[in-house]
Amino acid sequence: MSEEVTLLDFWASPYAMRCKIALAEKGVNYENKEENLKRKSPLLLQMNPVHKKVPVLIHNGKPICESLNIVQYIDETWKGNSPLLPADPYQRAQARFWADFIDKKAFESGAKLWKTKGEEHEKMKLEYIECLKVLEGELGDKPYFGGESFGFEDVSLIPFYCWFYACDSCANFSVEASCPKLVCWAKRCMEKESVSKSLPDPQKIYEYAMHLRKVVGVE
Ligand code: GS8
């Protein structure tokens, strides 16, 4: 059966990057549709009427929403190569736990860093740094979060790498100096074409974040 796969995307979205990496890992051909988030397409509103957010994966006409859910769907649908979640139920639960932590702590504090100022900014800065340290501790000396191979936690976190420069600039911090193992891990992931092709230039992200700071009025 011929497959129809479409991704509703926004270039700077770390959530959408997760899906692009997973699709590339599995070698799935798909159509990428860039959304204008200020003027959302009727297709996006129809496919994700609840959250009205990207990414949305449309597989043979059916929508799948929420990035971690999409990555799991991709893993289960295109089972053959590059499994992302481990087979063992306990290890699967651990992988999902860390992906949830990345969503609720890393992405949240990172996003709030450049949207806040004053006391709230200082609070977010501490949260951002602490969360990266926790992640570095969890990585330990393993090449990837799940062990020897690139998996679900790696896909969940690696898009954040292209935001490090923007977040660091806002927090007056250096991830590279404070979390060297985490940066080594990120560089290891970037050696994979599925990752390097799915992440935009950090300088472009920085410029976008600076523009957003002006739009939300913190600068
Ligand atoms: C988050 C998606 C999201 O925030 C996921 O897919 O994991 N929990 C979801 N998408 C943003 C773009 S990235 O910042 C979005 O679509 N925003 C549009 C809006 O809020 O109107």
Side-chain angles (χ1 to χ4, degrees), residues 81-217:
N81 39 359
S82 314
L84 296 172
L85 275 149
D88 175 71
Y90 181 73
Q91 281 176 4
R92 283 173 85 83
Q94 289 305 99
R96 286 193 297 257
F97 170 85
W98 284 108
D100 182 62
F101 176 85
I102 290 161
D103 249 16
K104 290 185 181 140
K105 296 286 181 182
F107 280 22
E108 276 295 313
S109 60
K112 282 186 188 147
L113 259 185
W114 45 265
K115 281 185 197 152
T116 52
K117 53 183 173 183
E119 225 175 274
E120 210 192 336
H121 180 73
E122 290 308 310
K123 199 175 142 228
M124 282 306 137
K125 194 169 144 177
L126 291 179
E127 214 170 274
Y128 168 70
I129 296 168
E130 194 192 305
C131 158
L132 292 176
K133 295 262 181 206
V134 170
L135 287 167
E136 190 175 61
E138 168 57 19
L139 176 68
D141 292 317
K142 303 188 292 286
Y144 298 104
F145 277 87
E148 292 304 312
S149 53
F150 181 77
F152 191 62
E153 293 119 298
D154 306 300
V155 177
S156 307
L157 182 61
I158 193 60
F160 204 29
Y161 182 55
C162 63
W163 278 87
F164 276 179
Y165 175 52
C167 291
D168 274 4
S169 309
C170 285
N172 200 12
F173 178 70
S174 163
V175 183
E176 179 122 42
S178 303
C179 305
K181 279 187 188 170
L182 198 64
V183 172
C184 265
W185 159 85
K187 289 182 177 159
R188 191 173 304 123
C189 294
M190 285 294 275
E191 283 168 16
K192 296 177 88 60
E193 206 180 274
S194 60
V195 177
S196 58
K197 282 202 164 158
S198 305
L199 266 54
D201 179 1
Q203 180 66 31
K204 253 184 92 188
I205 293 284
Y206 170 80
E207 284 159 19
Y208 174 65
M210 292 309 119
H211 158 77
L212 285 181
R213 274 174 78 79
K214 290 200 182 101
V215 172
V216 296

Side-chain angles (χ1 to χ4, degrees), residues 2-22:
S2 79
E3 306 238 44
E4 264 186 46
V5 184
T6 303
L7 182 70
L8 305 186
D9 183 25
F10 175 64
W11 71 274
S13 165
Y15 305 101
M17 289 172 215
R18 288 172 170 168
C19 306
K20 287 185 261 196
I21 295 169

Side-chain angles (χ1 to χ4, degrees), residues 10 12-16 18 37 40 44 51-55 65-68 70 103:
F10 175 64
S13 165
Y15 305 101
R18 288 172 170 168
L37 296 180
K40 295 173 184 170
L44 174 59
H51 296 302
K52 304 175 179 67
K53 289 184 178 189
V54 296
C65 301
E66 288 293 306
S67 60
L68 293 177
I70 295 172
D103 249 16

